[in-house]
Amino acid sequence: MAYAIIVTGGKQYKVTEGDVIFVEKLDAAEGAKVTFDKVVLTDSKIGTPFVEGAKVEGTVEKQGKQKKVVTFKYRPKKHSHTKQGHRQPYTRVKIDSIA
């Protein structure tokens, strides 16, 4: 089975055809095609730093936000506390082809 390692959003992902991956938010509508040009490695080639002419194509399935992460800072005896929440946006992509 063919696989590749791609770089997007400052992270590396190992993908094969048919995989569904969650990546940092991309500017693409649901149902749109996306192309990942930064391919670090394929089955037969290792890039320096990227493989020439290699690309991975996928389809955006969903734009969403992850579950909320709450941070709570507390300083005893100082009447000081901070509560903050954060939801990281993501894009769910289905890998269609590796070329």
Side-chain angles (χ1 to χ4, degrees):
M1 180 175 277
Y3 72 93
I5 296 179
I6 61 171
V7 176
T8 179
K11 299 176 179 66
Q12 295 181 357
Y13 300 90
K14 180 180 177 183
V15 296
T16 58
E17 290 184 15
D19 279 356
V20 176
I21 58 172
F22 294 86
V23 298
E24 294 293 319
K25 184 172 174 64
L26 301 173
D27 287 334
E30 292 183 13
K33 299 283 184 184
V34 291
T35 303
F36 300 104
D37 295 331
K38 294 183 178 181
V39 179
V40 177
L41 180 131
T42 61
D43 282 338
S44 58
K45 297 179 186 173
I46 297 174
T48 55
F50 303 115
V51 177
E52 291 285 327
K55 64 181 179 177
V56 176
E57 294 180 346
T59 305
V60 174
E61 288 187 340
K62 181 182 177 184
Q63 299 279 8
K65 290 185 178 181
Q66 295 176 350
K67 290 187 175 183
K68 184 175 280 191
V69 177
V70 176
T71 60
F72 188 77
K73 296 179 182 176
Y74 175 73
R75 293 166 192 87
K77 301 176 190 163
K78 303 292 183 199
H79 298 291
S80 172
H81 57 272
T82 306
K83 182 177 180 180
Q84 186 175 16
H86 176 72
R87 293 182 71 189
Q88 184 71 21
Y90 69 86
T91 302
R92 187 169 74 193
V93 178
K94 182 171 193 229
I95 303 300
D96 296 329
S97 65
I98 298 173

